Amino acid sequence: MKHFYTLFLLLLSVLAAQAQPKKTGIDWPVFMQRQTLRWDSISTDPATGMLLGNGLLRLNIYQADGQSIRFDIGRSDLDAQQPSAGYMMLKTAGKIKDVKLQLNIYDARARGTIYTTKGSITFGAFVHAGKQVIYTSAAGLQQEKNISWQFVPAPGKTPGIRKKQGLYAIFQQPLPNKGAYAAVWKSTFGPKGSTLLISLGYDQEARQDGLLQGINALKRFNADKLAAEFTAHINCWHQFFQQRFLSLPDQRMESFYWMQVYQEKSLFNRDLAVSVSKEQPAEAEVDYLSGLKLELQGMSTSDDEERRDSIRQSLELWLSQKGKVQREAYPVLAAIYATMGEGNKSYALLNELFDQRQQPEASAASAMQEMLLQSWGGKIRIFPAIPEQWQDLSFDKLSTADAFLVSAQRTEGKTTYIKVYSSKGGPCRIESDMQVNRVSSDKTDSPALTMSQHDGKTNVLIQTVPGESLWLSGIENNPGAVAVVKPVIREQWSWGLKKHTGLPK
């Protein structure tokens, strides 16, 4: 019954709010709510699914057929041999006719309602951030009350083994390299709905370690204290997200950035890196463009202007030939133009990529970040390639190649706040459009620095010590901290599969 499930969702929402640490200047739950992915359509394409994970264990939710939803289960260390260990099938009594789904990336939790010709099913799921356990719950209305789960193993070269061990259902699958994995699950059914706990163990030596991993993981998950388990889960995710901050006036691009931060963590347990992808079939093209970018970063300000112009002309000629540029090359091209300080061109290329009828390459998030912050040639460039439409934007604690953490705010087209944290110490060279009139430090009253002006930019060289924080102040009012930017471009945008386009947006 829906009342049971509604109370469950309410409890998790209250816990999420209570667990949120307070931070001056940014209301994280409110800000991250606008990054929520939403679906009003569902397809059989895994690329359009609802992805959950903790870097090792993962879950992908999408449609299997007209009367079932599949919950794909996998492990990152198993991918080379078995990208999917199988899936839990949620069968419906009627034909699926509509859905309303959302993935709250801040809490790393999926939930939604599936509407069928015979009723509806409401479900929720999360992959525990600190334990190798997937938790799902489901409740049905009308003729969908009898929730039915079925495990469907991925095809294997040798037969798998199904068995029961106490409260646990088990499927063990030998692998070609003599390893084996074990899917272990425990389900409960009742008049108020169903819960399902799943784990996936992996043993490279084909002993019983994979099975023990799965069983022990479920034993360590206290389903009777779900509130405590969920609080621990969301605390991990909140702390992860708050290690950096980025806010843009374009909601489509801002949400895409945060979606990629989430996916890097959920799939690979790593932070978003400033890098470009080398995806087929455009690897040669991407390699060539990446080489041009490195060449540009190695040029001096004036001596190589002729070569810089030659590269620019070649790129313009190339871009003018319709259909020649592969999708995978767009993020690198945007990053190249950002390196040359041409924010309008970078933005145009990213928009062209985003307007195509596919989800953009993940490396587009790195290109966006390079429009805001660059660190090459021994210099930190703050807001080096900002398009004219981006009058207000901010970021906090983005890292540089030399282990500095940089924060900055731009208001009405002017840089109003800069903070730099020095992790290792050493010289810190900063270039920005701020008219700097003061540099302050939390380690000394008089930081050792030199300052110069060039081409409308202020260049500051500061000798830092490990653990030192520096603030640069200009003639404009200093806000004292970064703040959330109000979206003014595509302000209602959300990613996820949408019915009016049938595409992952």
Side-chain angles (χ1 to χ4, degrees), residues 434-495:
M434 175 186 279
Q435 300 299 306
V436 179
N437 61 13
R438 182 184 178 191
V439 177
S440 55
S441 165
D442 64 350
K443 298 294 185 182
T444 177
D445 292 335
S446 302
L449 62 89
T450 59
M451 194 181 306
S452 63
Q453 300 285 330
H454 181 74
D455 290 340
K457 302 282 189 179
T458 300
N459 286 267
V460 183
L461 172 58
I462 312 168
Q463 299 298 328
T464 70
V465 298
E468 182 176 14
S469 292
L470 298 158
W471 290 265
L472 278 65
S473 304
I475 57 175
E476 296 85 6
N477 291 328
N478 191 321
V482 299
V484 173
V485 169
K486 180 180 179 181
V488 293
I489 304 168
R490 300 179 182 87
E491 37 292 42
Q492 300 303 317
W493 185 273
S494 66
W495 291 93

Side-chain angles (χ1 to χ4, degrees), residues 341-360:
E342 299 187 25
N344 287 337
K345 189 64 178 180
S346 294
Y347 188 40
L349 284 164
L350 289 176
N351 274 316
E352 189 173 338
L353 173 64
F354 278 44
D355 289 342
Q356 296 178 25
R357 300 176 68 81
Q358 296 181 46
Q359 183 165 301

Side-chain angles (χ1 to χ4, degrees), residues 111-130:
R111 60 181 177 179
T113 301
I114 304 158
Y115 300 93
T116 77
T117 54
K118 294 188 177 181
S120 64
I121 297 175
T122 301
F123 73 89
F126 66 94
V127 179
H128 199 289

Side-chain angles (χ1 to χ4, degrees), residues 244-245 257 369 373 395-400 404-406:
R244 91 283 297 139
F245 176 74
Y257 173 85
Q369 189 164 307
L373 179 69
F395 64 83
D396 189 31
K397 292 181 288 189
L398 296 188
S399 60
T400 73
F404 293 101
L405 296 178
V406 184

Side-chain angles (χ1 to χ4, degrees), residues 194-252:
S194 165
T195 61
L196 178 67
L197 297 177
I198 316 163
S199 189
L200 183 62
Y202 172 46
D203 170 27
Q204 296 181 0
E205 303 297 329
R207 298 189 295 267
Q208 294 297 308
D209 292 359
L211 176 58
L212 292 175
Q213 287 174 21
I215 291 175
N216 289 335
L218 295 189
K219 286 181 177 179
R220 286 192 291 268
F221 186 95
N222 192 340
D224 294 329
K225 294 185 178 180
L226 178 61
E229 294 286 5
F230 186 70
T231 297
H233 164 75
I234 61 175
N235 278 343
C236 287
W237 275 96
H238 293 179
Q239 290 168 11
F240 166 73
F241 276 114
Q242 292 183 28
Q243 290 172 12
R244 91 283 297 139
F245 176 74
L246 183 151
S247 184
L248 303 176
D250 186 327
Q251 187 60 47
R252 179 170 69 167

